Amino acid sequence: MNVADSAPAMNNLLASNADSQRTLYPYVTGTSVVGIKYKDGILLAADMGGSYGSTLRYKTVERLKSVGKHSIIGASGEISDFQEIMRYLDELILYDNMWDDGNSLGPKEVHNYLTRVMYNRRNKFNPLWNSLVLGGVKNGQKHLGTVNMIGVHYEDNHVATGFGNHLARPILRDEWHENLTFEEGVKLLEKCMRVLLYRDRSAVNKLQIARITEDGVAVFPPYSLKTFWNFNAFQNPTVGAEGSW
Amino acid sequence: MDGISGDLNAPHSMGTTIIGVTYNGGVVLGADSRTSTGMYVANRASDKITQLTDNVYICRSGSAADSQIVSDYVRYFLHQHTIQLGQPSTVKVAANLVRLLSYNNKNMLQTGLIVGGWDKYEGGKIYGIPLGGTVLEQPFTIGGSGSTYLYGFFDQVWKEGMTQDEAEKLVVKAVSLAIARDGASGGVVRTVTINKDGVTRKFYPGNTLPLWHEELEPKDSMLDILSSASPEPMVS
């Protein structure tokens, strides 16, 4: 007569005693983030979706945030963990400012800090369930890198998380070059985001682009992309093969 | 397993439909009133809109136990905070306290919450706090198992800057639609309206709610129908 809910039982198997914990699975998640270096700095793009399993539940989630004066971060994965990471970063920047010594944390340092946080949580089997893109400019040096929930981190001229790795990076490998102008960079990112919109089930058509240059950070207002459906092959796809798709 | 009485030892869960909506001047919180243990309705007139402070209320969904204990802790903390602050707490602070409990205990809790209220700094505000402890400030939000039936409805009818009357009618209509389709939601519709003038609770029993598709006007007895209409019953 007792059909107890199995989730607590499974939880007990995975946690050896009452105190040890682990994040088992994400609930509200963000999808791809794409980042590129361009002539004057870094450009990041991400949509504003917060999925709840297969439901596109939230459509105005800001996944691109500035960190201090020299960096911007984009996050995919569990949004509550990203919110916690932002609290860590805001505290980091605050303490850095409190030294009041004219020095400020650059993107390389922030990226390294995040790597340590993510890797140490992974070692305790309690990861922050995110894949992060960290970009910035300091003293003329551009930096663009990524860190994920298992602590894997690297830098490149263009990075992406999640589906972006499969759909956006091939485009970027082909079309990215040094000295992209701002306009060229935005168009390139939009090309990537449009493909993601077509092919990623958790993408929503509302996105933001963020830019960072030596002069500072700009997170642009949300907007939507036009999509194209008027291919001949789309009009009558099953003519001559009824029942196919 | 006894199929008729259902699983009386299953955790109390509020299937639930909960809604929080801002309007021009404040917020309206709404909820159904069904609490179930497995298939049995343990409480058909629950109050899922719980007070945290004079000006902040919370809608509870998911595990009844988890949502009650989180509310109790937050009410306790907010009470102390109000004393120390010397003025009413802001809605944001209340929402953040709920976040702390939900986020830091995410492995053990199973409750989705909506915090809504009015303070003199920001006016009426709604914060959605789903499973996992994400906090999102929104013009409106829906939660609970019944909310799945309302995404399309809100996509269509939501607009900014409604009057209090429009907002209350919208919330009642929405909860009533969800009750019609979600087995885990039912009973009465309760609303709590919060603005600068204070808090108003309203109660809408089933007979005051509109009828939806395939629902019939309730009668005392079939005999009433027989006596008024033509005496020939349906025969095939």
Side-chain angles (χ1 to χ4, degrees), chain A residues 130-151:
Chain A
N130 297 106
S131 294
L132 307 167
V133 170
L134 199 292
V137 192
K138 190 171 171 213
N139 298 333
Q141 292 265 41
K142 293 183 279 225
H143 171 95
L144 179 62
T146 178
V147 195
N148 68 13
M149 63 187 267
I150 57 175

Side-chain angles (χ1 to χ4, degrees), chain B residues 68-113:
Chain B
Q68 280 173 2
I69 202 72
V70 168
S71 307
D72 288 347
Y73 269 117
V74 174
R75 187 180 313 114
Y76 167 65
F77 294 137
L78 278 174
H79 184 214
Q80 293 190 337
H81 175 64
T82 304
I83 290 169
Q84 290 168 348
L85 196 63
Q87 58 183 35
S89 161
T90 60
V91 190
K92 188 180 249 183
V93 164
N96 195 46
L97 285 169
V98 175
R99 178 194 76 88
L100 281 173
L101 288 168
S102 293
Y103 180 74
N104 290 322
N105 298 293
K106 62 161 79 186
N107 294 329
M108 291 177 282
L109 293 174
Q110 203 185 326
T111 172
L113 302 157

Side-chain angles (χ1 to χ4, degrees), chain B residues 59-190:
Chain B
C59 294
R60 304 179 292 110
S61 79
S63 157
D66 288 351
S67 65
Q68 280 173 2
I69 202 72
V70 168
S71 307
D72 288 347
Y73 269 117
V74 174
R75 187 180 313 114
Y76 167 65
F77 294 137
L78 278 174
H79 184 214
Q80 293 190 337
H81 175 64
T82 304
I83 290 169
Q84 290 168 348
L85 196 63
Q87 58 183 35
S89 161
T90 60
V91 190
K92 188 180 249 183
V93 164
N96 195 46
L97 285 169
V98 175
R99 178 194 76 88
L100 281 173
L101 288 168
S102 293
Y103 180 74
N104 290 322
N105 298 293
K106 62 161 79 186
N107 294 329
M108 291 177 282
L109 293 174
Q110 203 185 326
T111 172
L113 302 157
I114 299 178
V115 175
W118 185 97
D119 61 59
K120 68 184 187 196
Y121 299 103
E122 304 261 18
K125 285 288 180 198
I126 293 285
Y127 292 86
I129 307 171
L131 260 44
T134 313
V135 193
L136 287 166
E137 197 257 293
Q138 299 163 280
F140 75 91
T141 192
I142 55 181
S145 57
S147 68
T148 53
Y149 305 99
L150 297 176
Y151 286 101
F153 175 68
F154 273 90
D155 278 347
Q156 189 191 55
V157 296
W158 167 258
K159 52 186 167 74
E160 288 274 354
M162 288 185 286
T163 65
Q164 178 176 327
D165 194 59
E166 284 176 318
E168 281 177 4
K169 286 196 158 56
L170 174 64
V171 167
V172 173
K173 187 173 180 182
V175 178
S176 141
L177 280 166
I179 287 173
R181 291 294 184 176
D182 179 31
S185 299
V188 305
V189 179
R190 296 190 194 278

Side-chain angles (χ1 to χ4, degrees), chain A residues 1-3 11 21-23 27-28 52 57-58 78-81 83-84 87 128, chain B residues 1 7 9 96 99 103-104 106-107 130-136 138 142-143 151:
Chain A
M1 126 142 186
N2 279 1
V3 179
N11 287 359
Q21 284 193 37
R22 57 220 317 248
T23 305
Y27 291 102
V28 181
Y52 190 76
R57 186 161 179 185
Y58 301 104
E78 168 67 48
I79 300 297
S80 66
D81 285 346
Q83 290 179 340
E84 193 73 354
R87 292 180 96 87
L128 290 160
Chain B
M1 185 175 43
D7 179 14
N9 287 325
N96 195 46
R99 178 194 76 88
Y103 180 74
N104 290 322
K106 62 161 79 186
N107 294 329
L131 260 44
T134 313
V135 193
L136 287 166
Q138 299 163 280
I142 55 181
Y151 286 101

